[in-house]
Amino acid sequence: AQSVTQLDSHVSVSEGTPVLLRCNYSSSYSPSLFWYVQHPNKGLQLLLKYTSAATLVKGINGFEAEFKKSETSFHLTKPSAHMSDAAEYFCVVSNTGNQFYFGTGTSLTVIP
Amino acid sequence: KAGVTQTPRYLIKTRGQQVTLSCSPISGHRSVSWYQQTPGQGLQFLFEYFSETQRNKGNFPGRFSGRQFSNSRSEMNVSTLELGDSALYLCASSLALQGGYTEAFFGQGTRLTVV
């Protein structure tokens, strides 16, 4: 069975400070893991993906995530938040059938 | 390269009616999946099609159905609409490589409102 748990439903940071969005996963297989971002009234945009290569994955807009098998975690980080980062973020795990399991989302607020 | 296109973007229907939503995947992508997004339930998987065959199905009633055509375009249909069907319906396409290690690309969604 596949599932993800996003540990925070809301995260608030000041502009220019680091961002940490937490995700734990459960998977019967060696998982594919993704982070997607959704801006208001928009579709989902892929930030980054882990597919069993390097454990530290770099994505777009300065985001990165580290796959930690021992902790079953895939936390998303960014060194310095920008106002445009305010959005909903989803951690996603995929099985081999291209079915994607979404976390409940983390709403990121960036305070000027 | 064109992205995933969903039509229409917005739809208002009355309870009891039926509705058909359309999704055109990225050229070359053979897997199309559908998701329902609501504030209360988040993003829930509806079904996935690959080469005109439904491969996976989520936990939704039979009122929700879909199909995929030979050009990979997909439609989903909801019959006997209920107020609770009001949601953003997202379509995603992917290459569906062996082993499933491939990302999904999402459309902008169709906002369905049932009144």
Side-chain angles (χ1 to χ4, degrees), chain A:
Chain A
Q2 322 265 325
S3 68
V4 290
T5 301
Q6 292 185 244
L7 300 168
D8 307 291
S9 58
H10 294 94
V11 169
S12 186
V13 301
S14 297
E15 189 175 19
T17 64
V19 176
L20 170 64
L21 306 183
R22 299 182 295 166
C23 172
N24 287 348
Y25 71 90
S26 172
S27 174
S28 305
Y29 312 97
S30 181
S32 295
L33 292 161
F34 310 84
W35 275 98
Y36 283 84
V37 61
Q38 185 177 35
H39 291 275
N41 298 313
K42 295 290 178 76
L44 291 148
Q45 181 185 20
L46 178 70
L47 278 177
L48 48 81
K49 64 178 179 179
Y50 167 76
T51 56
S52 74
T55 56
L56 182 61
V57 182
K58 293 189 184 298
I60 62 171
N61 300 334
F63 285 94
E64 61 183 40
E66 185 171 8
F67 174 73
K68 291 186 177 180
K69 187 175 181 178
S70 60
E71 299 175 11
T72 60
S73 70
F74 190 58
H75 300 335
L76 181 71
T77 61
K78 183 174 181 178
S80 176
H82 191 271
M83 294 298 295
S84 60
D85 294 328
E88 189 87 12
Y89 291 80
F90 293 93
C91 182
V92 183
V93 65
S94 173
N95 67 3
T96 56
N98 284 289
Q99 181 173 343
F100 293 81
Y101 298 85
F102 285 79
T104 50
T106 298
S107 177
L108 176 65
T109 299
V110 182
I111 303 166

Side-chain angles (χ1 to χ4, degrees), chain B residues 10-15 17 81-83 85-89 110-115:
Chain B
Y10 302 92
L11 210 46
I12 300 175
K13 289 286 188 178
T14 305
R15 268 183 304 176
Q17 287 187 311
L81 283 165
E82 301 176 359
L83 294 179
D85 297 333
S86 296
L88 180 66
Y89 290 88
T110 294
R111 172 73 64 185
L112 172 64
T113 302
V114 181
V115 297

